[in-house]
Each structure stands twice: as structure tokens, then as C-alpha cells.
Amino acid sequence: MEILKTPAALKAALEIFKGSVGFVPTMGALHIGHKALIETARSANDAVVVSIFVNPTQFLEGEDLNAYPRRKEADEKICELAGVDYLFYPDVADMYGRDEVSLSAPDVRGYILEGTSRPGHFSGVLTVVNKLLNIVNPDRAYFGKKDAQQLMLIETMVSNLFMNVEIVPCETVRDDDGLALSSRNVYLSAQERSEALKIPRALKRATKLVMQGELETGRLQTEMLAVLEPLEVEYAVIVNRAFAPVEYVEIGHTIILVEAVVGTTRLLDNIWI
Ligand code: AMP
């Protein structure tokens, strides 16, 4: 595995590589969810590039940018063992200059749901993903369905800007107890972690009701909110794949999303049905 720090060094290494390239962008503190993305990329490409970059422009004032877990050595080992060919580890100064051209998230879909509680977050995400895709120029790039709104906005950007990359959505990996894996789970105390399990339980409850024939989203939402009690719920909503709210679930076209704050940690989860 080659570890490269600057965009120029990674570009130079990839320029002489002739096969297909799969790319997995991350913010590090890698877990089995990231590993699953890497393995999916490994199975479909001649080379795999992973980036580890805690992107400052997607953190709002007062968020956990400085506290975000950083695990350089462990991450390197995970990448090495997962068969990564190129690990890209840039510093902020390698990625951003002064007085830059900016990229904005769409006015509506970038500012609903997670974009309501984190205005501007998705502009930062799209900016860095655009930069990373331009550096790596991969055939395919892999993103988790766990961050469903992020995935939808990246697909929108790739389509709007006519970018030449296939975006591959990957299933959410969960711990044995059902909690979706996230680098931010390390912030949870044992007590908070058990409270957090209400999130996957609420999604499971809604899914079960759908399977039993309850398709009315208002009723499903009420049931989810009851399971989530007494968590601070940012949203528990049911949308179609374009992220518009729907009155009735249409199986194969619906996403149920929950965001809740447990202690001081904001947790996201969803189920695609
Ligand atoms: P992050 O390092 O949190 O920015 O995540 C990097 C990528 O891993 C994103 O595409 C995430 O959606 C994806 N990811 C994070 N957690 C999971 C998970 N539990 N299962 C699958 N993919 C995940």
C-alpha cells in the first residue's frame, strides 16, 4: 500500500496505473462499515484508493471538528489488511487554498432534514467530494446508504456537473445489537448507547408495520416517535427516493429516516424499503 499526502503525489501515482480504480472517501476512525465499502470496491476494481480527511468545511461552528476521532495508525492497518492500494492522507492546506471557487448544495434538498440542523454542511461535503473525485478520477466511488441524504446529493452533483464516475451505494453495516456503525459512536457512554438502540428499534418497528400492510406514513411516524421516546428527535420521516415526503409508503421507492441526539451525539439511521 502506498501512502500519499498531496494531491499531486496521488495524481502522479494514478497516472501510471492503467486498470480500473475504485474510490472510498472517508473521515477516518475506520470501522467495519468503512471496511465493507473497501471490500466492495476491492471486488470490482483493479485498484482501490481510500482517502482519510476530516474535512473542516462540512463542520459548523461549535461542532466536533477538533474532537473528531483521529486514528492514523489503526486506520493504516485496516486499509493495509483490506487490500487498499493507495491511501490518501492530505492535510487541510493540501486540499484548500484562499479565496476559492465555491460549490453550493441545492437550495431545497441541501437544506431539509440534516441540512436544517446543519445549514451549509452539505455544501462542505459536496465541495470536498468534488475535489477528491477530481484528484482520484475513479471509475467508481463508494458511499454508504447510512448517509442517505449525502448519497442523494452526491448523485445529484455527479449528474448536474456531468461527472464521469459511477456512484455505488452500499448497505449500512450494524453492530450485533442493531446500532448502525459510526465513527461518532465512540462518544456514547454505555447508558447512552443503550438509549441509542431506540433508533434502530423504531426503524424496525416501522418496517414490521409496513410488512403487515400499514402504508400510511402519518401512522408509521407516530409509532416511531413512541419507540424513540424520550430521545431528542430531530426528525423521523418517510420520504421517496427523491427525498420528498410521501403520504403512503411505496415499497421499493421509500426511505425511512431518523436523526436523534443522544447525550450530545447526533445519530443518523435509515431503512430503504
Ligand atoms: P465517514 O468516514 O463517516 O465520512 O464515512 C465514510 C463513508 O462510509 C460514507 O460513505 C458513509 O456513508 C460510509 N459509512 C459510514 N458508516 C457506515 C456504515 N455503518 N455502514 C456502511 N457505510 C457506512
Side-chain angles (χ1 to χ4, degrees):
M1 182 174 79
E2 268 187 73
I3 301 179
L4 302 124
K5 196 178 132 352
T6 65
L10 180 61
K11 277 181 160 217
L14 289 170
E15 236 152 57
I16 51 174
F17 183 79
K18 292 289 167 253
S20 62
V21 173
F23 177 40
V24 182
T26 80
M27 297 207 300
L30 301 181
H31 51 63
I32 296 168
H34 296 115
K35 195 161 155 260
L37 266 61
I38 296 170
E39 282 162 359
T40 309
R42 180 72 281 163
S43 68
N45 298 279
D46 299 317
V48 175
V49 181
V50 170
S51 63
I52 295 182
F53 181 59
V54 182
N55 172 39
T57 64
Q58 71 189 69
F59 287 78
L60 272 62
E61 205 59 41
E63 286 190 345
D64 58 342
L65 173 62
N66 293 326
Y68 196 84
R70 287 162 171 88
R71 306 252 164 81
K72 193 165 190 279
E73 272 161 35
D75 286 352
E76 271 179 40
K77 191 138 277 165
I78 290 170
C79 287
E80 180 103 58
L81 290 173
V84 171
D85 300 280
Y86 303 97
L87 176 57
F88 182 45
Y89 225 129
D91 286 333
V92 174
D94 299 315
M95 292 296 287
Y96 288 99
R98 281 161 192 259
D99 194 25
E100 292 208 325
V101 168
S102 62
L103 191 64
S104 303
D107 290 344
V108 177
R109 284 173 297 161
Y111 290 86
I112 52 171
L113 303 174
E114 211 193 342
T116 309
S117 38
R118 307 181 75 190
H121 164 71
F122 287 119
S123 296
V125 170
L126 295 178
T127 299
V128 80
V129 170
N130 188 36
K131 282 174 185 269
L132 289 166
L133 290 173
N134 286 335
I135 295 165
V136 178
N137 193 20
D139 296 273
R140 302 176 191 88
Y142 296 80
F143 293 90
K145 286 165 121 178
K146 175 175 169 287
D147 299 290
Q149 192 175 2
Q150 166 177 288
L151 169 62
M152 174 273 295
L153 290 169
I154 290 167
E155 284 173 334
T156 305
M157 172 179 76
V158 164
S159 160
N160 289 169
L161 302 183
F162 304 101
M163 296 166 77
N164 279 325
V165 58
E166 180 192 344
I167 301 299
V168 184
C170 299
E171 294 305 325
T172 299
V173 180
R174 298 173 181 283
D175 248 328
D176 292 342
D177 57 11
L179 190 67
L181 291 173
S182 163
S183 305
R184 288 191 167 101
N185 289 353
V186 296
Y187 299 151
L188 300 171
S189 67
Q191 167 69 27
E192 286 167 350
R193 202 194 144 90
S194 85
E195 283 285 291
L197 293 178
K198 294 193 158 108
I199 299 170
R201 277 190 207 128
L203 291 168
K204 226 171 159 183
R205 171 93 185 117
T207 309
K208 191 170 169 206
L209 289 169
V210 170
M211 294 314 154
Q212 288 168 352
E214 176 59 87
L215 300 179
E216 207 185 300
T217 55
R219 287 212 202 121
L220 293 167
Q221 197 180 28
T222 307
E223 289 283 342
M224 284 200 293
L225 290 172
V227 178
L228 289 164
E229 279 280 322
L231 294 185
E232 183 188 333
V233 180
E234 301 262 345
Y235 55 80
V237 293
I238 302 171
V239 298
N240 63 22
R241 298 287 162 92
F243 272 70
V246 287
E247 231 175 291
Y248 292 95
V249 169
E250 205 184 325
I251 292 174
H253 300 277
T254 306
I255 311 175
I256 306 180
L257 300 136
V258 172
E259 181 177 295
V261 182
V262 182
T264 54
T265 309
R266 184 183 284 121
L267 297 173
L268 288 181
D269 202 350
N270 61 65
I271 283 207
W272 301 47
I273 49 174

